[in-house]
Amino acid sequence: MLNRIIICCLLISFKTLADDGSRLWLKYDLLKDAQQRDKYAALTKFIAANHNSPIVASAVSELQMGFQGLLGKKVSASASAGSRTGGVILQVNANAQNLLEDGFAINSQKGNIVISAKTPSGVLYGAFELLRNIQTGKSLSNLAIVSNPKVKIRMLNHWDNANGTVERGYAGSSMWKWTELPFRIDPRYIQYARANASIGINAASINNVNASSRFLTAEYLEKIKAVADVLRPYGIRVFISVNFRSPRTLGGLKTSDPLDPEVKQWWNDKTKEIHQYIPDFGGFLVKANSEGEPGPQDYGRTHADGANMLAEAMRPYGGIVIWRAFVYKADPNGDRFKEAYDQFKPLDGTFDPKVIVQVKNGPIDFMPREPFHPMFGAFPNTTLGMEFQITQEYLGQSTHLTYLAPMFKECLDSDTYAKGKGSTVAKVIDGSLESHQNSLMAGVANTGSDVNWTAHPFNQANWYAFGRLAWDYDLTSEHIASEWIAMTLAKSKAGQETIKRMMMQSLPIYISYTYPLGTAHMMGEGHHYGPEPWLEKSGRPDWTSIYYHRADSVGLGFDRTGKVSNALSLYSAEVQKQWGDPERCSLDYLLWFHHIPWTKKLSTGRTLWNELCFRYYDGVEQVRKLQTDWESLKPELDKETFENVKGRLRIQEKEALWWRDACVLYFITYTKMPIPAPLVPPTRSLNEVKKLVEIYHLR
Amino acid sequence: MLNRIIICCLLISFKTLADDGSRLWLKYDLLKDAQQRDKYAALTKFIAANHNSPIVASAVSELQMGFQGLLGKKVSASASAGSRTGGVILQVNANAQNLLEDGFAINSQKGNIVISAKTPSGVLYGAFELLRNIQTGKSLSNLAIVSNPKVKIRMLNHWDNANGTVERGYAGSSMWKWTELPFRIDPRYIQYARANASIGINAASINNVNASSRFLTAEYLEKIKAVADVLRPYGIRVFISVNFRSPRTLGGLKTSDPLDPEVKQWWNDKTKEIHQYIPDFGGFLVKANSEGEPGPQDYGRTHADGANMLAEAMRPYGGIVIWRAFVYKADPNGDRFKEAYDQFKPLDGTFDPKVIVQVKNGPIDFMPREPFHPMFGAFPNTTLGMEFQITQEYLGQSTHLTYLAPMFKECLDSDTYAKGKGSTVAKVIDGSLESHQNSLMAGVANTGSDVNWTAHPFNQANWYAFGRLAWDYDLTSEHIASEWIAMTLAKSKAGQETIKRMMMQSLPIYISYTYPLGTAHMMGEGHHYGPEPWLEKSGRPDWTSIYYHRADSVGLGFDRTGKVSNALSLYSAEVQKQWGDPERCSLDYLLWFHHIPWTKKLSTGRTLWNELCFRYYDGVEQVRKLQTDWESLKPELDKETFENVKGRLRIQEKEALWWRDACVLYFITYTKMPIPAPLVPPTRSLNEVKKLVEIYHLR
């Protein structure tokens, strides 16, 4: 018998030796330390849940799965603890103190661990918190945790197309298998729901904002209902991105004018129909009059007209309307920086309370570093939601290690000074600054059909970090990284520290070899892969590179002071002061706001040109250090994961060199100055580098 | 200790309980019957290999992996058996008797099992054959197997695009991760190589025939080299699909005229460059002057001019040029059936011996049932290769159970009568009929990034069947199905028989509810999903449906006798006799060749209209029987696989109904006759059904 068991062990472990990443941060591998297991086991002898909802059932089954995996024991569940001690009690209590909706408390109480919450979702989040404590090796004695989400709608936006592709997706095709639905439920939907619930995400818009009308047909509503039914027990509500022209496309109407009675009726009817499939439907997400999408302006109406019409259709229900502020017109003499602000400012105060205007973190488009969007703090009478991009469109896609928590935090922590010091973007977003009821933080998802969900193993951390920050933006990037690392990659303290250091350095490194000193938007046209700072012509002037960097023989950077675009004036006086003076402006933001002479000496003691070169070169060197760091971790890492990241770091090095050489060789055509010693000039020519990006323009 | 082992077992099996299909037919799960294991173990005590090549090393490691999994034991390998018995000996022997290149013999010899072959690849194929014998429960006593491949180049064509999408791919995105290459080697490449080698596939064209020039840049050759290096130890050679305009696109030349000296030189240089990366490069695959692709006709030259120019570039090397015959011009009064024949016929005998002209199995385009392509048997002086489609573009994509071996076989077994009775298509393809040196069978791959490679679990069987038939087209469809089932789904004899019956019925069922009686090409425009028999206008007349079915008030079908297109005349007299007389023509092919009155009584005793209705309805009923069959297997199947197929069968039923209703409601507008009793007319209207396919035309 023992023999057979050993054989069975050998064989099975033989198959599972490699970690394919499919389990994300919910690995639940047996804790190696038997003493530690025993300690936890003594506190998790049973599960008692006083509530009978599907969401609480998810919490119970997750705890059972977690205890089974981490502690190696089956734990039974019942409705009541009775007089037992040493167990985990789940309590839904509508009158729980100090808790908001979705919040939870975990307390050591009379020999048991009690997870209490006002709602089943709160209990579920508490269960995941308890598991995370075990996964990360924390003590379960004397627990007294209270945790409330800072933002109410914590949401993923999937830019997944009906045809199975994913716009700006770098991890395979769409995870939603529309042709299989509603009858085949891919088990990955459940994994996805669990992963989201574990970090507090409670909403998902399942299709691209460049939206196909087909998602509003009965055929597709049946499919979406099947998805909603899978996500509901994990507390996740489904949203649909809608095409504003749907009344014409699907309804056969002559117009989609939001003030037209038939159009209103069509949306009323459609919204009612949706609720027959999905009673707890989250709402609509709309990209309108943006990059060619239809919208109310096609009929001489405003964004508010469009959004409010949809809000009216949603009136009888709990859902909302999320209206994107990502709009800009193609004006070669304008400044895209100001477009959304200018278009929406007159509408402040005119949006229905059911409308949230979703604003990207920065005024351009998810650049690796942008100043916070000037709309934040300037729209007191509008509920503004945040749109971050988790998928790394401009941040290395699937091959660069770039941990995004510091980028999210940099924006959230920015002070708008709208109501004096401390009026951070985070406080705009959570509704506290201007006392809005709703609040929203959305992240454009990086999930795909790849086995490990996100292609680069480290990209999983960005999904994780987004969720954790949407729950609590006061968590530090380091803290979130530590959690994620302990649950995924390394068990040794030293290993965890090395990986955390790599992650914390990764964004500055990436920016250094791509967009140092506040440069932006110099990537390959269309696919946004690799550098193309020389791009002069495109479908629109504001899709070129030269529109943004404004390089000339004198210097570099987009003057957004009063002398030129005056975009700075959109910010409060304090912010203008902070960025308006090139002598005081942080180098991180310098060229966002100023056109600086190449020869100007910066606070580093180097001229702009020398500093630029230094940063590009240093970025490449830092990637090499990341490789050395990673190599040092080989003994303790899963082999497949180690090789996976190792290979990607080599690609990252190659591409960092590509960015460096492309940018310095291009800008040198303006500066006519040498690459400063001791830096060694690139061995290839500008023309050679230019050919590289052309390859990716070939069909 | 025992305790810990049991825990470990529990936990690991907990994780691996579900079969995600990623291991394809190479599961190597422990055989349940201990006695059987012991029997095999006694004959596999060691491995000895007299040859030191990477391919033989692959054979050794595969045997070790297989024995470890199937028999639960580690088996050591050495260079020589010495005086030992009870082991497996691998011998490369250039003078081996009765063996062709790649062939192998497996003999019980002096107490050992000896796998011998002329080449390392032959040994590898023999090793997989031995493992297959164990996987399928065959005896290893008194082995005397000789197996030679009938076709020399057994090839997958990947229609994978540079941007990661797959043309006509239904299993996620491309399995080739170009942005990660050359530095990250996805472990899936190795799984892919093993799977192919296990069924004798020895060639892979890695990119879409609608080819991007980027695959010929140094940047991409480095990436392709990395792939070739992974595939080489499994005996697989890499081919590249090339864009004929590359000398202009990449080389900056003014022309791509194949007779231009600079163009020739460009291809010579490029071919040389490729070989610096990939010394054993397989060759070029070319789609030219077809569906908008560039080609020699752009310069007034012939397909032979183009192909021979590339062959000349390939002269110093072992590789070849595969030139596709899939060409047709947009002529509303023509017959696409004849186009390739007509364009290529004058060129017979003018192609370089290094050129293989690759012909689709039928004259149109991978319809579920087509008469064999009239070029087969009519081009004695040209090496013709076969192009099958494994990916199910017209055969249910990812949601219909359709086992394709019978379709492949039907074509291969067709008699061209070119040199009298017995001149089968298979004998044209293997070169034996007209004594050609080269031979090729290509299959358009159905692989993708989905965890289980092919989306529908049963689609794996089509990949498997293609490889097995390319090796030996005399294998029966039943035999191949049995092998595959035993290695993948079911262990009980009864279960295996049920599944085999389902598979063997599946193609006739699919044809019944989509294209009965020899109809063709009535699918949704562009995406080819669902039915659209009413399609009257498209980018080209021969992309509509009415071009093919020719329905009118009198009857249905495309008259290809002398009265109209006379495509029949392209076949030999015997074939014309077989299909030319509507009274004698098999009902399977009837409407391919004849326009039959709706009221005409067929050999079944029913009129055409009634027979058509009967088949559409019967097809749906048969799908319901497949569901019942599948349900009966629940107790013995892996849960995840069971649910997966169950869900897809429900979708299949829904779509079978969609096809049935669409087609009978549409054709009834011509026949004006009722749906014959006892069949119950559809409850929905033609307009309602028409709206369904429109959904899939929405962006």
Side-chain angles (χ1 to χ4, degrees):
Chain A
M1 173 65 187
L2 180 59
N3 218 19
R4 275 221 205 135
I5 293 174
I6 290 175
I7 286 178
C8 146
C9 264
L10 268 175
L11 288 176
I12 300 179
S13 59
F14 171 75
K15 277 191 285 170
T16 53
L17 212 62
D19 182 359
D20 64 10
S22 61
R23 293 175 298 153
L24 294 158
W25 48 88
L26 302 174
K27 290 196 205 296
Y28 300 155
D29 286 330
L30 189 70
L31 299 177
K32 289 224 173 99
D33 180 340
Q35 275 196 318
Q36 197 190 22
R37 280 206 308 271
D38 292 345
K39 264 194 206 165
Y40 289 134
L43 297 167
T44 56
K45 286 191 274 191
F46 62 87
I47 301 166
N50 77 345
H51 200 265
N52 214 358
S53 66
I55 294 179
V56 172
S58 296
V60 170
S61 92
E62 192 72 30
L63 288 173
Q64 288 181 313
M65 212 178 335
F67 296 157
Q68 172 85 72
L70 293 158
L71 311 178
K73 61 165 191 172
K74 262 200 152 59
V75 177
S76 69
S78 59
S80 153
S83 59
R84 289 175 294 172
T85 59
V88 179
I89 298 175
L90 309 182
Q91 283 182 342
V92 177
N93 174 3
N95 305 314
Q97 300 277 306
N98 302 321
L99 293 182
L100 306 174
E101 209 194 319
D102 286 0
F104 61 85
I106 309 181
N107 290 296
S108 302
Q109 209 171 294
K110 298 182 190 164
N112 288 312
I113 295 173
V114 180
I115 301 177
S116 49
K118 286 191 164 174
T119 61
S121 288
V123 164
L124 179 62
Y125 300 137
F128 276 112
E129 174 73 21
L130 183 68
L131 286 167
R132 182 159 45 233
N133 274 279
I134 299 176
Q135 288 176 282
T136 57
K138 296 219 180 103
S139 163
L140 297 190
S141 305
N142 305 316
L143 290 172
I145 300 171
V146 175
S147 185
N148 284 307
K150 294 216 162 67
V151 172
K152 283 189 184 161
I153 304 175
R154 306 170 296 278
M155 183 171 186
L156 290 186
N157 287 183
H158 291 275
W159 286 359
D160 291 30
N161 294 315
N163 68 4
T165 58
V166 182
E167 182 159 332
R168 310 305 174 188
Y170 309 102
S173 58
S174 175
M175 53 172 287
W176 311 114
K177 303 292 189 182
W178 296 115
T179 54
E180 300 171 9
L181 286 163
F183 297 130
R184 189 207 164 213
I185 302 300
D186 190 330
R188 282 168 57 94
Y189 305 155
I190 301 166
Q191 309 307 317
Y192 165 85
R194 290 175 53 227
N196 277 335
S198 77
I199 50 177
I201 288 172
N202 65 354
S205 170
I206 45 82
N207 61 313
N208 192 355
V209 290
N210 296 320
S212 167
S213 297
R214 70 166 95 164
F215 289 99
L216 292 180
T217 62
E219 184 79 3
Y220 269 72
L221 290 175
E222 216 182 325
K223 297 169 186 282
I224 300 169
K225 170 194 166 28
V227 170
D229 289 345
V230 174
L231 304 189
R232 187 174 298 109
Y234 292 90
I236 300 165
R237 293 213 288 173
V238 158
F239 288 65
I240 301 177
S241 292
V242 296
N243 186 306
F244 202 78
R245 203 185 276 126
S246 298
R248 292 172 64 182
T249 316
L250 298 182
L253 303 188
K254 289 208 179 65
T255 177
S256 293
D257 180 348
L259 302 193
D260 181 279
E262 280 189 85
V263 170
K264 288 181 186 181
Q265 192 57 48
W266 189 89
W267 282 108
N268 290 347
D269 294 345
K270 184 53 74 179
T271 306
K272 186 175 175 192
E273 184 191 356
I274 293 171
H275 283 81
Q276 282 157 7
Y277 291 96
I278 310 164
D280 59 349
F281 178 56
F284 299 123
L285 171 60
V286 194
K287 173 176 182 176
N289 292 121
S290 166
E291 298 180 333
E293 292 301 307
Q297 294 176 345
D298 303 344
Y299 310 95
R301 314 300 182 188
T302 69
H303 286 291
D305 292 331
N308 293 345
M309 181 266 297
L310 291 177
E312 197 53 46
M314 199 64 84
R315 187 79 59 213
Y317 314 103
I320 59 163
V321 175
I322 304 176
W323 195 270
R324 294 175 88 231
F326 180 65
V327 297
Y328 57 107
K329 52 184 193 290
D331 177 0
N333 301 316
D335 182 357
R336 178 172 166 186
F337 198 111
K338 302 190 289 185
E339 304 262 1
Y341 186 105
D342 287 348
Q343 279 195 46
F344 277 80
K345 186 65 183 168
L347 305 175
D348 188 29
T350 68
F351 286 98
D352 190 286
K354 264 183 173 297
V355 175
I356 298 180
V357 174
Q358 181 170 297
V359 183
K360 289 188 181 185
N361 57 295
I364 304 299
D365 187 15
F366 299 135
M367 289 294 116
R369 172 168 274 137
E370 294 199 30
F372 68 89
H373 201 296
M375 285 179 71
F376 294 121
F379 282 65
N381 303 310
T382 305
T383 308
L384 298 188
M386 172 64 80
E387 178 175 317
F388 283 128
Q389 195 180 44
I390 309 170
T391 188
Q392 296 172 213
E393 178 177 0
Y394 306 103
L395 279 143
Q397 303 189 356
S398 70
T399 48
H400 295 236
L401 197 173
T402 327
Y403 176 51
L404 300 184
M407 189 185 80
F408 302 152
K409 291 277 289 182
E410 187 167 306
C411 175
L412 291 166
D413 292 345
S414 293
D415 201 335
T416 69
Y417 292 93
K419 294 191 164 185
K421 196 167 160 53
S423 305
T424 60
V425 170
K427 287 184 182 162
V428 176
I429 288 310
D430 72 10
S432 64
L433 192 71
E434 288 130 357
S435 301
H436 293 298
Q437 282 306 301
N438 277 341
S439 55
L440 163 73
M441 196 182 295
V444 180
N446 63 353
T447 50
S449 66
D450 276 359
V451 175
N452 78 346
W453 298 90
T454 60
H456 198 310
F458 274 90
N459 290 8
Q460 293 187 354
N462 293 328
W463 178 6
Y464 184 84
F466 168 79
R468 296 290 284 145
L469 286 172
W471 183 274
D472 182 1
Y473 51 68
D474 283 335
L475 293 172
T476 66
S477 301
E478 290 85 347
H479 176 88
I480 296 169
S482 293
E483 282 183 359
W484 179 79
I485 296 162
M487 290 189 286
T488 53
L489 293 175
K491 293 298 162 218
S492 84
K493 279 286 155 219
Q496 293 181 13
E497 286 304 313
T498 302
I499 296 172
K500 186 164 73 177
R501 195 176 64 238
M502 292 175 68
M503 289 170 73
M504 290 306 299
Q505 293 170 336
S506 62
L507 180 69
I509 291 173
Y510 182 82
I511 291 173
S512 194
Y513 62 75
T514 55
Y515 295 107
L517 297 169
T519 47
H521 207 293
M522 308 191 292
M523 64 287 166
E525 186 182 15
H527 49 64
H528 298 174
Y529 181 69
E532 196 169 3
W534 44 82
L535 183 65
E536 292 183 355
K537 276 190 189 157
S538 184
R540 300 170 46 143
D542 43 10
W543 287 349
T544 67
S545 295
I546 58 162
Y547 178 99
Y548 296 93
H549 62 61
R550 311 253 159 160
D552 57 26
S553 62
V554 177
L556 182 68
F558 196 143
D559 188 342
R560 292 192 166 97
T561 66
K563 283 178 280 176
V564 184
S565 96
N566 209 15
L568 249 175
S569 67
L570 307 184
Y571 291 102
S572 64
E574 290 84 348
V575 176
Q576 291 185 39
K577 220 183 287 171
Q578 170 186 301
W579 286 331
D581 176 359
E583 300 295 334
R584 293 181 51 209
C585 180
S586 154
L587 293 188
D588 288 342
Y589 291 92
L590 184 65
L591 303 177
W592 270 106
F593 296 106
H594 304 283
H595 190 75
I596 303 290
W598 297 110
T599 52
K600 163 87 183 170
K601 193 166 267 190
L602 305 181
S603 56
T604 58
R606 298 188 189 93
T607 62
L608 174 67
W609 169 239
N610 286 1
E611 184 68 28
L612 196 77
C613 291
F614 170 77
R615 295 204 177 198
Y616 275 113
Y617 275 73
D618 186 55
V620 173
E621 284 312 310
Q622 297 296 331
V623 174
R624 291 173 179 148
K625 286 198 183 129
L626 289 178
Q627 292 177 305
T628 314
D629 284 343
W630 188 250
E631 201 64 44
S632 77
L633 295 159
K634 185 170 185 178
E636 72 165 296
L637 293 179
D638 166 74
K639 187 173 180 302
E640 184 168 324
T641 310
F642 173 79
E643 293 296 340
N644 188 340
V645 174
K646 180 178 173 166
R648 289 179 204 266
L649 283 168
R650 289 187 65 194
I651 283 281
Q652 183 175 354
E653 182 197 358
K654 184 182 165 198
E655 295 183 1
L657 265 167
W658 179 17
W659 272 90
R660 182 195 83 178
D661 290 355
C663 293
V664 302
L665 290 172
Y666 168 68
F667 288 127
I668 216 171
T669 64
Y670 294 97
T671 69
K672 318 280 188 199
M673 291 186 284
I675 309 275
L679 307 178
V680 180
T683 51
R684 50 188 165 183
S685 71
L686 180 57
N687 266 338
E688 283 169 328
V689 186
K690 280 187 174 178
K691 281 208 171 125
L692 283 177
V693 81
E694 282 168 23
I695 291 172
Y696 295 89
H697 293 317
L698 294 170
R699 176 185 73 179
Chain B
M1 174 65 187
L2 179 58
N3 219 20
R4 276 223 203 135
I5 292 174
I6 289 174
I7 288 179
C8 145
C9 264
L10 269 175
L11 290 175
I12 300 179
S13 59
F14 173 76
K15 276 189 290 173
T16 53
L17 213 61
D19 182 358
D20 64 9
S22 62
R23 294 173 297 154
L24 294 159
W25 46 89
L26 302 175
K27 292 201 205 294
Y28 300 155
D29 286 332
L30 189 69
L31 299 178
K32 290 222 173 100
D33 180 341
Q35 276 196 319
Q36 196 190 24
R37 282 206 307 273
D38 291 345
K39 264 193 207 166
Y40 289 134
L43 297 167
T44 57
K45 288 190 273 192
F46 63 87
I47 301 165
N50 78 345
H51 200 263
N52 215 358
S53 66
I55 294 180
V56 172
S58 297
V60 170
S61 91
E62 193 70 33
L63 287 172
Q64 288 180 314
M65 212 179 332
F67 296 156
Q68 172 86 70
L70 293 159
L71 310 178
K73 62 166 194 176
K74 260 200 154 61
V75 177
S76 68
S78 59
S80 155
S83 58
R84 287 177 294 172
T85 60
V88 178
I89 299 174
L90 309 183
Q91 284 182 342
V92 177
N93 174 3
N95 305 313
Q97 300 277 307
N98 302 322
L99 293 181
L100 306 174
E101 208 193 321
D102 286 0
F104 60 84
I106 309 181
N107 289 296
S108 302
Q109 209 173 296
K110 296 181 191 165
N112 288 310
I113 295 172
V114 180
I115 301 177
S116 49
K118 285 191 163 173
T119 60
S121 288
V123 164
L124 179 62
Y125 300 136
F128 275 112
E129 174 73 22
L130 183 67
L131 287 166
R132 182 157 45 232
N133 275 279
I134 299 176
Q135 289 175 282
T136 55
K138 295 220 179 102
S139 162
L140 298 190
S141 303
N142 305 315
L143 292 172
I145 299 170
V146 175
S147 184
N148 285 305
K150 295 217 163 63
V151 172
K152 284 188 183 162
I153 305 175
R154 304 170 297 278
M155 183 172 186
L156 289 186
N157 287 182
H158 291 276
W159 286 358
D160 291 29
N161 294 314
N163 68 3
T165 59
V166 181
E167 181 160 336
R168 309 306 174 188
Y170 309 102
S173 58
S174 175
M175 51 173 287
W176 310 114
K177 304 290 190 183
W178 295 114
T179 54
E180 301 172 7
L181 286 163
F183 296 130
R184 186 201 168 220
I185 301 300
D186 190 328
R188 282 169 57 93
Y189 306 155
I190 300 166
Q191 308 308 319
Y192 165 85
R194 289 175 52 227
N196 277 335
S198 77
I199 49 177
I201 288 172
N202 65 353
S205 169
I206 45 80
N207 62 312
N208 192 355
V209 289
N210 295 319
S212 168
S213 297
R214 69 167 94 163
F215 289 99
L216 291 179
T217 62
E219 185 79 2
Y220 268 73
L221 290 175
E222 217 182 324
K223 297 170 187 282
I224 300 170
K225 169 193 167 28
V227 170
D229 290 346
V230 174
L231 303 189
R232 187 175 298 110
Y234 292 90
I236 299 164
R237 292 212 288 174
V238 158
F239 287 66
I240 301 176
S241 292
V242 297
N243 186 305
F244 202 78
R245 203 187 276 123
S246 298
R248 293 171 64 180
T249 317
L250 298 182
L253 302 189
K254 289 208 179 67
T255 178
S256 293
D257 179 349
L259 301 193
D260 181 279
E262 278 188 89
V263 170
K264 289 182 186 181
Q265 191 58 47
W266 189 89
W267 282 109
N268 290 347
D269 293 346
K270 184 52 73 179
T271 308
K272 186 175 175 189
E273 184 190 357
I274 294 171
H275 283 81
Q276 282 157 8
Y277 291 96
I278 310 165
D280 58 349
F281 178 55
F284 299 124
L285 171 61
V286 193
K287 175 177 180 175
N289 294 122
S290 167
E291 298 181 332
E293 292 300 306
Q297 292 176 345
D298 303 345
Y299 310 95
R301 313 301 182 189
T302 69
H303 287 291
D305 291 333
N308 293 345
M309 181 265 299
L310 292 176
E312 196 55 45
M314 199 63 85
R315 188 78 60 214
Y317 315 103
I320 60 162
V321 175
I322 303 176
W323 195 271
R324 293 176 90 233
F326 181 64
V327 299
Y328 57 108
K329 51 185 195 293
D331 178 0
N333 300 315
D335 182 357
R336 178 170 165 189
F337 197 111
K338 301 188 290 183
E339 303 262 1
Y341 185 105
D342 286 349
Q343 279 196 45
F344 277 80
K345 186 64 183 169
L347 305 175
D348 186 32
T350 68
F351 286 98
D352 190 287
K354 264 182 171 297
V355 175
I356 298 180
V357 174
Q358 182 170 298
V359 182
K360 289 189 181 183
N361 57 293
I364 304 299
D365 188 14
F366 298 135
M367 290 294 115
R369 172 168 274 137
E370 294 200 30
F372 69 87
H373 201 297
M375 286 178 71
F376 294 122
F379 283 64
N381 303 310
T382 305
T383 308
L384 298 188
M386 172 65 80
E387 179 174 316
F388 283 127
Q389 195 181 44
I390 309 171
T391 188
Q392 296 171 212
E393 177 177 1
Y394 306 103
L395 278 143
Q397 302 190 357
S398 70
T399 48
H400 296 236
L401 197 173
T402 326
Y403 176 52
L404 300 184
M407 190 185 79
F408 301 152
K409 290 277 290 184
E410 186 167 307
C411 175
L412 291 165
D413 291 346
S414 294
D415 201 334
T416 70
Y417 291 93
K419 292 192 163 184
K421 195 165 162 55
S423 304
T424 60
V425 170
K427 286 185 182 162
V428 176
I429 289 310
D430 72 10
S432 64
L433 192 71
E434 287 130 356
S435 301
H436 292 299
Q437 282 304 302
N438 276 342
S439 56
L440 162 72
M441 195 183 296
V444 180
N446 64 352
T447 50
S449 65
D450 276 359
V451 175
N452 78 347
W453 297 90
T454 61
H456 199 310
F458 275 89
N459 289 9
Q460 293 187 355
N462 294 328
W463 178 6
Y464 184 83
F466 167 78
R468 295 290 284 144
L469 286 173
W471 183 274
D472 182 1
Y473 50 68
D474 284 335
L475 293 172
T476 66
S477 301
E478 290 85 349
H479 177 89
I480 296 169
S482 294
E483 282 182 0
W484 180 79
I485 297 162
M487 291 188 287
T488 53
L489 293 176
K491 292 297 164 221
S492 84
K493 279 286 155 213
Q496 293 181 12
E497 285 305 312
T498 303
I499 296 171
K500 186 164 71 177
R501 195 177 61 239
M502 294 175 66
M503 289 171 72
M504 290 306 298
Q505 293 169 337
S506 63
L507 181 69
I509 292 173
Y510 182 82
I511 290 174
S512 194
Y513 63 74
T514 55
Y515 294 106
L517 297 170
T519 47
H521 207 293
M522 308 191 292
M523 63 288 165
E525 187 182 14
H527 49 63
H528 299 174
Y529 180 67
E532 197 169 3
W534 45 81
L535 183 65
E536 292 183 355
K537 275 188 188 159
S538 184
R540 299 170 49 143
D542 44 8
W543 286 349
T544 68
S545 295
I546 57 161
Y547 178 97
Y548 295 94
H549 62 61
R550 312 255 159 160
D552 56 27
S553 62
V554 176
L556 183 66
F558 197 141
D559 187 342
R560 291 192 167 96
T561 67
K563 283 178 279 178
V564 184
S565 97
N566 209 13
L568 250 176
S569 69
L570 306 183
Y571 290 104
S572 63
E574 289 84 348
V575 175
Q576 291 186 38
K577 220 181 288 173
Q578 170 186 302
W579 286 330
D581 176 358
E583 300 295 336
R584 293 180 52 207
C585 181
S586 154
L587 293 186
D588 289 342
Y589 291 92
L590 185 64
L591 303 177
W592 270 107
F593 295 106
H594 304 283
H595 190 75
I596 302 289
W598 296 109
T599 52
K600 162 88 186 169
K601 194 164 269 190
L602 305 181
S603 56
T604 59
R606 299 187 188 94
T607 63
L608 174 67
W609 169 240
N610 288 2
E611 184 68 30
L612 196 77
C613 291
F614 172 77
R615 296 204 177 198
Y616 275 113
Y617 275 72
D618 186 56
V620 173
E621 285 312 310
Q622 297 297 330
V623 174
R624 291 173 178 148
K625 289 203 182 124
L626 289 179
Q627 291 176 307
T628 315
D629 284 343
W630 188 249
E631 202 64 44
S632 77
L633 295 161
K634 185 169 183 177
E636 73 166 296
L637 293 179
D638 166 76
K639 187 173 179 303
E640 184 167 325
T641 310
F642 173 79
E643 293 295 341
N644 188 340
V645 173
K646 179 179 173 164
R648 289 180 205 265
L649 282 169
R650 289 188 65 193
I651 283 280
Q652 183 174 352
E653 182 197 356
K654 184 182 165 196
E655 295 183 359
L657 266 167
W658 179 17
W659 272 90
R660 182 196 82 177
D661 291 356
C663 294
V664 301
L665 290 171
Y666 168 69
F667 288 127
I668 215 170
T669 64
Y670 294 97
T671 68
K672 318 282 189 196
M673 290 186 280
I675 308 275
L679 307 178
V680 180
T683 50
R684 50 188 164 182
S685 70
L686 180 57
N687 267 341
E688 284 169 326
V689 186
K690 278 188 175 177
K691 278 203 173 129
L692 284 176
V693 79
E694 281 168 22
I695 291 171
Y696 295 88
H697 292 317
L698 294 169
R699 177 186 71 177

